[in-house]
Amino acid sequence: MAAERILIVDDEETLCEVLKLNLENEGYDVDTALSAEDALMLDIKQYSLILLDIMMGEISGIKMAKMLKADVTTANIPIIFCTARDSEDDMVMGLNIGADDYIMKPYTIRNVIARVKSVLRRTSGQKTVASTSVEKPNVLKIEGLYLDLEFKRCIVDGDEVKLARKEFELLAYLILHRGKICSREQILSRIWSNEVVVLDRTIDVNITRLRSKIGPYGSYIVTRSGFGYGFRD
């Protein structure tokens, strides 16, 4: 049976190496990342558990956890926060996001190993049941942009963005046809099929609002004058 894989995300390199060495001695396969940005470049789906520091760089541990929990492919990976932030509010915030445990620094290696084993025992059975009985939700993902077609939610880099119904439908349509240019006629017939009169300007206004609301991913919506709109790969 293959060893369970653990990812340690912490900007303290020495601490990462100490944890890695001790967890490997317990039989786990362990990788480390010194920032959330580095961690998100990895294939997160392969890990059985993530040890995650909160206070890091531009993307904090809290923000990374939100991104992982918003993605159906990584939502069930257990997370243990390891942090020097020891207020009750921080602990509640971490647990509310969906973290499975919370360890405050400074901690002992024995404590970390015990917590890791406990969380893996508790979650391994849940993952087995989920993989055999639950269908994959209908979620579109483009890097840090997530569109949940079932629950009508848009997540941008870990934060939920409120979209009007037509904005949501338009974004979903463009993503589903990404890499292609959709004509105005195609968009109107699909998104505004039940409307009596819809002006071309209506599409332009909704595109402008979408670009503004989805932040860095607004540039992924391209305009081809005389042809229509698309969502680039």
Side-chain angles (χ1 to χ4, degrees), residues 67-76 135-139 146:
M67 294 170 69
L68 296 180
K69 294 302 179 182
D71 183 352
V72 66
T73 65
T74 56
N76 291 326
E135 292 184 2
K136 180 179 178 181
N138 200 354
V139 175
Y146 305 89

Side-chain angles (χ1 to χ4, degrees), residues 21-39:
L21 175 63
N22 283 273
L23 287 168
E24 286 180 338
N25 286 340
E26 294 293 321
Y28 299 108
D29 285 338
V30 183
D31 293 323
T32 63
L34 297 180
S35 68
E37 291 85 345
D38 289 345

Side-chain angles (χ1 to χ4, degrees), residues 70-197:
D71 183 352
V72 66
T73 65
T74 56
N76 291 326
I77 299 175
I79 295 173
I80 298 178
F81 278 127
C82 299
T83 179
R85 299 180 66 171
D86 59 358
S87 75
E88 183 177 353
D89 288 343
D90 291 329
M91 182 180 299
V92 171
M93 181 188 301
L95 295 175
N96 282 341
I97 289 171
D100 294 83
D101 206 343
Y102 193 107
I103 307 175
M104 290 176 286
K105 297 178 181 177
Y107 47 69
T108 66
I109 296 299
R110 289 180 61 190
N111 185 27
V112 174
I113 291 173
R115 299 289 188 94
V116 165
K117 289 181 177 180
S118 175
V119 169
L120 286 174
R121 281 196 305 268
R122 188 169 69 245
T123 60
S124 60
Q126 296 172 1
K127 289 189 291 184
T128 300
V129 171
S131 65
T132 58
S133 62
V134 179
E135 292 184 2
K136 180 179 178 181
N138 200 354
V139 175
L140 302 176
K141 174 189 174 186
I142 305 292
E143 297 179 12
L145 173 64
Y146 305 89
L147 212 60
D148 188 330
L149 302 183
E150 185 172 347
F151 291 97
K152 312 303 180 188
R153 298 174 66 230
C154 177
I155 306 294
V156 177
D157 291 336
D159 296 317
E160 184 168 359
V161 174
K162 300 296 183 182
L163 298 182
R165 178 174 178 175
K166 294 300 184 184
E167 293 169 350
F168 185 93
E169 292 175 353
L170 177 56
L171 180 57
Y173 182 78
L174 293 177
I175 293 177
L176 285 168
H177 294 84
R178 62 184 177 273
K180 300 178 181 179
I181 295 299
C182 302
S183 70
R184 289 175 176 273
E185 292 75 16
Q186 290 172 322
I187 294 173
L188 285 172
S189 65
R190 175 62 180 86
I191 308 302
W192 283 273
S193 58
N194 296 324
E195 306 293 334
V196 177
V197 177

Side-chain angles (χ1 to χ4, degrees), residues 219-232:
S219 63
Y220 285 44
I221 301 176
V222 297
T223 305
R224 293 291 179 263
S225 182
F227 294 95
Y229 294 98
F231 200 98
R232 67 178 176 84

